[in-house]
Amino acid sequence: SQTIHQWPATLVQPVGSPLSLECTVEGTSNPNLYWYRQAAGRGLQLLFYSVGIGQISSEVPQNLSASRPQDRQFILSSKKLLLSDSGFYLCAWSVGSTYEQYFGPGTRLTVT
Amino acid sequence: RKEVEQDPGPFNVPEGATVAFNCTYSNSASQSFFWYRQDCRKEPKLLMSVYSSGNEDGRFTAQLNRASQYISLLIRDSKLSDSATYLCVVGSGYSTLTFGKGTMLLVSP
């Protein structure tokens, strides 16, 4: 069966510091991968999605970037965090052209 | 107009009650429709897909009205464990989903 991992689970970082969040999927090949952010009191916002290694589509321009160095690995990064980057970051996967997405446990980021 | 709109609630119901949530979406080209459930401080989990013919999974029934761009979720015989936020989700574009902000349900003893 497929599983999705995210780490770290929680993170407190000062403004201006870098960020690296990692997501890995097991039990499937060629997944579509997604990064979402859920800010307090707001809905899920799609940040990036990837349909293959090295292929990244950005939905929202901001100081975040994403990379997919391996088929089942998706990384979210920032060079300098802003206060507004605080939120719950969720990685998700889907297969083929299906719309059903399955989420990892998330990383709760607080920028201070 | 918001892309996916839901009543935020909370809906407070006693155990055993029937409760219904509604959702409207703005993109008439939307192709797939879902309800996800999100517990407090947890990730969303797929509850069920929604089809034009309507579909049922145990105590849960989902309906889609494409003409009115309206989706509903009915929960019968509510359990304490049904307390959560229910997210209405619409798929359009290449495998991308748009999420509503969710409707909070609180089931009390």
Side-chain angles (χ1 to χ4, degrees):
Chain A
S1 64
Q2 299 88 356
T3 55
I4 178 168
H5 304 278
Q6 284 187 248
W7 61 90
T10 60
L11 192 59
V12 180
Q13 292 284 94
V15 167
S17 64
L19 173 74
S20 181
L21 303 181
E22 190 165 341
C23 168
T24 58
V25 180
E26 297 177 356
T28 186
S29 297
N30 305 315
N32 302 314
L33 296 173
Y34 309 83
W35 278 112
Y36 289 87
R37 177 172 62 204
Q38 187 175 37
R42 302 185 68 178
L44 271 75
Q45 179 185 37
L46 178 63
L47 302 174
F48 302 95
Y49 70 92
S50 171
V51 299
I53 295 174
Q55 299 179 62
I56 309 293
S57 295
S58 174
E59 290 293 304
V60 183
Q62 52 200 312
N63 69 320
L64 299 172
S65 61
S67 62
R68 185 168 177 176
Q70 300 180 44
D71 181 46
R72 288 169 286 178
Q73 184 185 30
F74 205 21
I75 296 172
L76 182 70
S77 304
S78 174
K79 292 181 179 178
K80 288 185 178 182
L81 285 168
L82 306 173
L83 284 174
S84 58
D85 291 325
S86 293
F88 190 34
Y89 286 82
L90 291 154
C91 181
W93 66 272
S94 68
V95 177
S97 59
T98 63
Y99 283 90
E100 296 174 353
Q101 293 181 17
Y102 301 92
F103 287 83
T107 294
R108 198 161 296 277
L109 171 67
T110 303
V111 182
T112 59
Chain B
R1 181 179 175 184
K2 296 177 184 176
E3 294 189 58
V4 179
E5 200 154 354
Q6 298 181 249
D7 181 343
F11 283 58
N12 290 281
V13 302
E15 273 187 291
T18 295
V19 61
F21 306 138
N22 303 317
C23 160
T24 57
Y25 61 95
S26 61
N27 185 352
S28 59
S30 298
Q31 300 170 32
S32 297
F33 309 88
F34 307 95
W35 285 100
Y36 278 71
R37 170 195 168 125
Q38 186 173 23
D39 292 293
C40 187
R41 300 180 69 81
K42 298 289 188 180
E43 75 274 22
K45 293 186 178 178
L46 179 62
L47 180 65
M48 59 196 303
S49 301
V50 188
Y51 305 114
S52 296
S53 56
N55 50 300
E56 186 174 310
D57 182 1
R59 299 181 293 108
F60 298 84
T61 301
Q63 296 276 354
L64 168 65
N65 184 321
R66 284 186 181 270
S68 301
Q69 296 180 203
Y70 171 96
I71 306 163
S72 65
L73 176 68
L74 183 76
I75 305 176
R76 292 181 299 277
D77 189 23
S78 298
K79 311 292 185 190
L80 293 176
S81 56
D82 293 335
S83 296
T85 296
Y86 290 83
L87 307 176
C88 178
V89 185
V90 174
S92 47
Y94 189 90
S95 298
T96 57
L97 299 177
T98 301
F99 287 75
K101 292 185 179 180
T103 298
M104 183 182 291
L105 172 65
L106 300 172
V107 182
S108 55

